[in-house]
Amino acid sequence: MAESRLGIVRGDTDLSRLLSLKSSSPVDMVEDRYDILTSKRRSNTYRANRRIFHLNSQQGANMDIVFQVSNDGVAFRYLFPDSKTEAVSITAEATSFHFLPETRAWLQPMQKAKTGFAKTNPAYEEFYQKEIPAGTPSALGHGWVYPSLFRSGETWLLLSEVALPAGWCATHLGHESPSGEYSIAFPDQLQTMNGEPVIPSAKMPWASPWRIIAIGTLKTIAESTLGTDLAEPAKTPVDAFVIPGKAAWSWPLLGDPSANFDTQKEFINYAAEMGWAYCLIDAGWDKQIGYERTKELADYARTKKVRLLLWYNSAGDWNTVKMTPRSKLLTHQDRQNEFNRLKEMGIAGVKIDFFGGDGQAVMKYYRDILDDAAQYGLLVNFHGATLPRGLQRTCPNFMTAEAVKGLEYITFEQKVADQAPSHAAMLPFTRNVFDPMDYTPVVFDKLPRNKKRRTTGAFELALSVIFTSGIQHYAEIPQGMAKVPDYVRAFMKQVPSVWDDIRFIDGYPGKLVVLARKGDGRWLVAGLNGENTGKELTLNLDSIPDINSNGVLITDGDGGQFTQQNITLGADKKLKVSLKPNGGFVAAF
């Protein structure tokens, strides 16, 4: 990076210019060890060198900037140490990221607020613009979302933010970036909630979110945990009800009518047969099944060792979606009433949809829901939502969030299905690097509405390993799962729900990704070919020190069929794999 700006403009003073450096702290080492069940590595250690710079303005206002430098990148945040009895607003942030000439970028455009389905945007649901020149204005005119990926020479950089304090809004990169200099942008006033404030505001002392830059090779980016390393730790130990798992789900292929008693009983049986922990009942369950009969389903599911998840509309004045249940979660009292009812019904968790953007009141709403849900032992999945920004560490009952152009869009438009291979090969380097992602993967058979799937069967199988989500909702239905070979069904039954470790093996954003993940005592290696041309790969697995030399490989065979073979790694730990166009593979060791 070239020299870039720092600073904050508050409602009461300008801390972005004419500052004096009063002093700086010695460099000291910080270390943090933590476990997390809903990310790409269970046990993590963060080590960094920290230095604090103490600045003041000509008017005597104080601001500290904390820098922490780790082996995989840089983090910094602003601290306001002065005490003030009245709330102070942040009107602008001067922070910029100035990239060198010839830098390329992989960026997702920010959506315009109050557009899209029932005015539910922004929802972080656009395709990434790939390998564009740094400094290109955003495609929709409203900036770029995090995480934002760049390549300068042979060095990769991934920008994001984490640990939003109370009173802060979520941010993004601005629309204009002259000469490759990107600035932090706040949400616009349309992203309000019940007319409440959008920009940051709180009493001091106060801290900003961490701005994080993962820096290094593509392997560094893919394996980095900066997005949880800097997140606020959970205030209490992880409760016993926080159990990651897999879920059956009827809605993506069968639609709204499937929220009926008989279909959901069938899907509970399906989840039980596959050994999956959950079954999600989507929109309209309250009217098409009703609370009492949903409790019957929950009781039945329990006999099958399956638990139910229920859909909710976040409601309020920020969307016009009529799907129900609606207006059940707006206030603390509303949530207490509804969550207590769900607890008595034996429900495991909730999926809450159609939020209102990135304003500070909306960000508070997310936290309030999570805090209240935890009191009643409920897991939470956010849809039509913002990037989580490390929430999974701070609130362990937060399992996953959409914030991605996921599989449902493939069922809506053929042009989305056409781009699915490249899009899926993009996400492990961007959206899914730090935060769990509810893409809802895996369709082996037919898509609804006569849409043609462009990915192969082995590509779809590999998605079960490549994508990270605390609860992984699989889109395939019982009839489609029954058509695949027994060994494919067996693989889908045994994919771990908690990952112990990850290794980047090979790839390039949007073109190829090969990852190795460890869980349940096994290493699974999976790959996606994001291009419509075949590839011959020789994969070096020597970065996996404890991998067994004997394994099983599942790939695409002829005629759209699967093929399985036993494999043995040599002393050099090289694995040769042939990938079909838009194909994939999985190998279990």
Side-chain angles (χ1 to χ4, degrees), residues 456 458-459 462 505-506 512-515 524-529 533-541 547 551-557 563-569 573-589:
T456 68
F459 186 107
I505 304 301
D506 197 3
L512 173 71
V513 57
V514 181
L515 300 177
L524 302 182
V525 183
L528 306 175
N529 182 2
T533 55
K535 291 183 172 72
E536 298 294 327
L537 304 180
T538 299
L539 303 172
N540 188 349
L541 304 185
I547 194 169
V552 175
L553 174 68
I554 302 175
T555 57
D556 293 300
T563 182
Q564 177 182 252
Q565 65 183 98
N566 294 323
I567 54 174
T568 301
L569 300 177
K573 292 189 177 180
K574 297 288 179 62
L575 173 65
K576 292 187 176 182
V577 180
S578 297
L579 285 180
K580 298 281 189 181
N582 298 335
F585 78 92
V586 294
F589 294 91

Side-chain angles (χ1 to χ4, degrees), residues 195-431:
E196 296 183 43
V198 172
I199 62 174
S201 179
K203 295 180 180 180
M204 298 195 311
W206 198 23
S208 77
W210 286 102
R211 308 296 176 208
I212 57 176
I213 316 169
I215 306 172
T217 63
L218 201 54
K219 175 181 174 66
T220 308
I221 301 299
E223 296 181 7
S224 175
T225 55
L226 273 182
T228 49
D229 294 341
L230 279 300
E232 293 295 328
K235 294 180 180 179
T236 58
V238 177
D239 291 295
F241 73 87
V242 178
I243 302 173
K246 313 301 179 184
W249 183 34
S250 65
W251 184 86
L253 301 191
L254 300 182
D256 294 337
S258 68
N260 66 74
F261 187 91
D262 291 340
T263 300
Q264 294 312 310
K265 191 170 183 179
E266 177 189 357
F267 272 75
I268 290 167
N269 292 334
Y270 173 43
E273 179 187 349
M274 296 298 295
W276 299 340
Y278 302 104
C279 178
L280 169 62
I281 307 180
D282 219 87
W285 64 267
D286 58 322
K287 293 184 177 180
Q288 294 170 208
I289 304 174
Y291 281 82
E292 290 186 7
R293 298 216 73 194
T294 298
K295 184 182 185 307
E296 286 184 43
L297 286 172
D299 292 340
Y300 175 75
R302 195 176 299 110
T303 69
K304 297 286 188 175
K305 298 183 179 180
V306 174
R307 299 195 67 197
L308 296 188
L309 310 167
L310 299 179
W311 185 95
Y312 281 81
N313 185 345
S314 74
D317 67 352
W318 50 90
N319 77 55
T320 59
V321 179
K322 300 187 186 305
M323 297 174 186
T324 62
R326 177 184 168 89
S327 301
K328 297 283 189 179
L329 309 176
L330 293 179
T331 68
H332 174 63
Q333 188 61 56
D334 291 338
R335 293 188 291 273
Q336 283 189 315
N337 294 341
E338 192 69 9
F339 291 163
N340 183 62
R341 188 174 188 179
L342 296 184
K343 181 179 180 180
E344 292 176 348
M345 293 166 59
I347 301 302
V350 290
K351 169 185 173 181
I352 307 171
D353 212 339
F354 303 125
F355 284 84
D358 286 344
Q360 66 141 299
V362 184
M363 303 311 292
K364 180 177 183 298
Y365 188 35
Y366 285 115
R367 288 295 301 272
D368 289 345
I369 288 172
L370 288 165
D371 291 344
D372 289 342
Q375 298 303 311
Y376 294 90
L378 293 173
L379 308 176
V380 178
N381 170 11
F382 292 130
H383 257 235
T386 191
L387 183 75
R389 297 168 169 84
L391 267 182
Q392 66 272 27
R393 184 180 178 192
T394 309
C395 304
N397 63 317
F398 168 64
M399 305 305 287
T400 190
E402 190 179 27
V404 67
K405 200 174 191 74
L407 179 129
E408 65 176 342
Y409 284 93
I410 294 173
T411 71
F412 298 156
E413 298 181 81
Q414 186 60 51
K415 65 180 182 180
V416 177
D418 294 344
Q419 295 189 59
S422 177
H423 183 52
M426 183 76 226
L427 298 173
F429 304 108
T430 48
R431 164 64 180 89

Side-chain angles (χ1 to χ4, degrees), residues 90-93 124 146 161-172 184-189 191-192 196-202 206-211 357-364 366 386-387 389:
I90 307 296
T91 60
E93 182 169 340
Y124 290 60
Y146 303 122
E161 65 180 352
V162 65
L164 273 62
W168 210 278
C169 62
T171 72
H172 57 277
I184 298 273
F186 289 159
D188 59 39
Q189 290 301 315
Q191 298 180 51
T192 185
E196 296 183 43
V198 172
I199 62 174
S201 179
W206 198 23
S208 77
W210 286 102
R211 308 296 176 208
D358 286 344
Q360 66 141 299
V362 184
M363 303 311 292
K364 180 177 183 298
Y366 285 115
T386 191
L387 183 75
R389 297 168 169 84

Side-chain angles (χ1 to χ4, degrees), residues 38-40 106-108 123-128 145-149 158-161 221-222 224 227-228 366 381-392 398-406 423-440 466-472 509-510 517:
T38 51
S39 194
K40 60 188 173 188
W106 289 254
L107 303 172
Q108 181 190 151
Y124 290 60
E125 294 174 349
E126 297 293 332
F127 285 121
Y128 282 82
V145 307
Y146 303 122
S148 306
L149 181 66
L158 186 71
L159 310 185
S160 194
E161 65 180 352
I221 301 299
S224 175
T228 49
Y366 285 115
N381 170 11
F382 292 130
H383 257 235
T386 191
L387 183 75
R389 297 168 169 84
L391 267 182
Q392 66 272 27
F398 168 64
M399 305 305 287
T400 190
E402 190 179 27
V404 67
K405 200 174 191 74
H423 183 52
M426 183 76 226
L427 298 173
F429 304 108
T430 48
R431 164 64 180 89
N432 209 195
V433 168
F434 300 128
D435 295 306
M437 177 183 73
D438 199 24
Y439 182 95
T440 68
I466 293 291
F467 290 164
T468 305
S469 183
I471 295 179
Q472 191 75 278
R517 295 188 186 274

Side-chain angles (χ1 to χ4, degrees), residues 15 19-28 50-57 60-67 77-82:
L15 291 163
L19 302 183
S20 299
L21 177 64
K22 294 192 299 183
S23 63
S24 57
S25 73
V27 175
D28 62 351
R50 176 174 59 193
R51 195 174 192 185
I52 305 174
F53 296 87
H54 304 284
L55 307 161
N56 67 353
S57 70
N62 296 300
M63 180 176 72
D64 298 341
I65 307 180
V66 183
F67 280 93
R77 76 188 313 179
Y78 303 97
L79 302 179
F80 308 106
D82 298 330

